[in-house]
Amino acid sequence: MDRILYTAGGGASQTMAQQAVVNNNLANVSTPGFRGELMAMRAVPVEGEARLPTRVASMMTTPGSDFTQGNISTTGRSLDVALQGDAWLAVQPPGGGEAYTRRGDLQVDATGLLTSLGNPVMGDNGQAIVIPVGADVTIGADGSISVLEPGQNPDSIAPLAKLKLVAPGNENLVRGEDGLFRMTPPPGQQNANPVPADDTLRVIPGALEGSNVTPTDAMISMIDSSRRYDMHMKMIESADENEQRANSLLSLTS
């Protein structure tokens, strides 16, 4: 069997993996604060029996994420915040520890817990933020949270908590399967230490940062990978046809 079947089949498999990344980016075009995944293809020589590179296989790698800031739009909603500059919002994922997100469409659940996509939002004291039930929430540009409970005098409003805003450095962040970003742990450690809060970071209240994925570019990438997959499949069909013809010639001469 010609080795082209293996190289073409491997290329088709890697193209399908690339298509999955493109599909995920396209599905999150309208997700607030989403960071698109980056992918690349690299050539890997395939050594023959004489240890010579007789074929070249293609491999897909996901080197990281696109940290370009998305467009900011005003919503007027009191629980919406758009993070400015290199700021990230600290949340507590289901597995524990601390993770980071740019998604600022915050919610208050039935118990009063302030969440981002179901993950508790951390305060600058390292604790989850709990909002009194029925209270009106106001978030300041520095991330401070003030609440006005029913029947309370507006003049007596005091800050309840403050969002934990961090600047971990994009080069140190790794995306998890849950879509949240985490710090790269130091050598020899399983988990990284929490990033300390940065009081100089700011948010834009009543606004949201959109996804940084461009629908047009994502559609072009999808079409390109689809055509590349078809090309690999045609190579497999051609190799199979050549093998059948060769077998027919050998049967005539025998």
Side-chain angles (χ1 to χ4, degrees), residues 44-157:
V44 179
V46 179
E47 295 183 350
E49 296 179 357
R51 304 193 64 83
L52 296 176
T54 58
R55 295 288 188 273
V56 176
S58 59
M59 294 289 293
M60 190 208 69
T61 60
T62 304
S65 302
D66 179 10
F67 290 103
T68 305
Q69 183 167 327
N71 295 326
I72 296 178
S73 58
T74 302
T75 64
R77 182 171 173 270
S78 60
L79 290 177
D80 286 345
V81 290
L83 292 97
Q84 298 190 61
D86 297 329
W88 289 78
L89 191 65
V91 297
Q92 186 177 47
E98 188 172 279
Y100 309 103
T101 180
R102 295 276 297 193
R103 183 160 185 164
D105 54 337
L106 308 183
Q107 305 286 338
V108 178
D109 65 12
T111 64
L113 193 65
L114 186 66
T115 64
S116 172
L117 198 62
N119 300 298
V121 176
M122 308 296 290
D124 61 353
N125 59 355
Q127 302 296 321
I129 299 175
V130 179
I131 305 296
V133 178
D136 294 329
V137 181
T138 302
I139 302 179
D142 61 348
S144 59
I145 300 175
S146 302
V147 296
L148 178 63
E149 300 185 51
Q152 182 182 2
N153 186 350
D155 296 332
S156 62
I157 296 178

Side-chain angles (χ1 to χ4, degrees), residues 99-245:
Y100 309 103
T101 180
R102 295 276 297 193
R103 183 160 185 164
D105 54 337
L106 308 183
Q107 305 286 338
V108 178
D109 65 12
T111 64
L113 193 65
L114 186 66
T115 64
S116 172
L117 198 62
N119 300 298
V121 176
M122 308 296 290
D124 61 353
N125 59 355
Q127 302 296 321
I129 299 175
V130 179
I131 305 296
V133 178
D136 294 329
V137 181
T138 302
I139 302 179
D142 61 348
S144 59
I145 300 175
S146 302
V147 296
L148 178 63
E149 300 185 51
Q152 182 182 2
N153 186 350
D155 296 332
S156 62
I157 296 178
L160 173 71
K162 187 176 181 182
L163 299 174
K164 183 177 180 180
L165 304 175
V166 300
N170 297 337
E171 68 279 0
N172 300 319
L173 294 175
V174 178
R175 187 200 305 268
E177 294 182 358
D178 53 5
L180 298 174
F181 287 82
R182 294 169 175 80
M183 287 287 291
T184 304
Q189 294 187 20
Q190 186 176 3
N191 299 314
N193 297 325
V195 181
D198 189 339
D199 293 335
T200 64
L201 300 174
R202 295 292 180 265
V203 301
I204 303 176
L208 279 179
E209 178 190 5
S211 170
N212 66 353
V213 176
T214 305
T216 304
D217 293 342
M219 287 296 297
I220 292 174
S221 297
M222 178 180 292
I223 295 172
D224 178 68
S225 59
S226 177
R227 291 179 176 176
R228 190 182 303 113
Y229 178 82
D230 291 340
M231 180 187 67
H232 287 301
M233 297 308 296
K234 289 180 180 179
M235 290 176 62
I236 295 176
E237 293 176 2
S238 297
D240 183 58
E241 291 176 358
N242 291 339
E243 184 178 2
Q244 292 180 9
R245 291 171 182 172

Side-chain angles (χ1 to χ4, degrees), residues 245-254:
R245 291 171 182 172
N247 290 336
S248 299
L249 291 174
L250 289 175
S251 63
L252 292 175
T253 58
S254 61

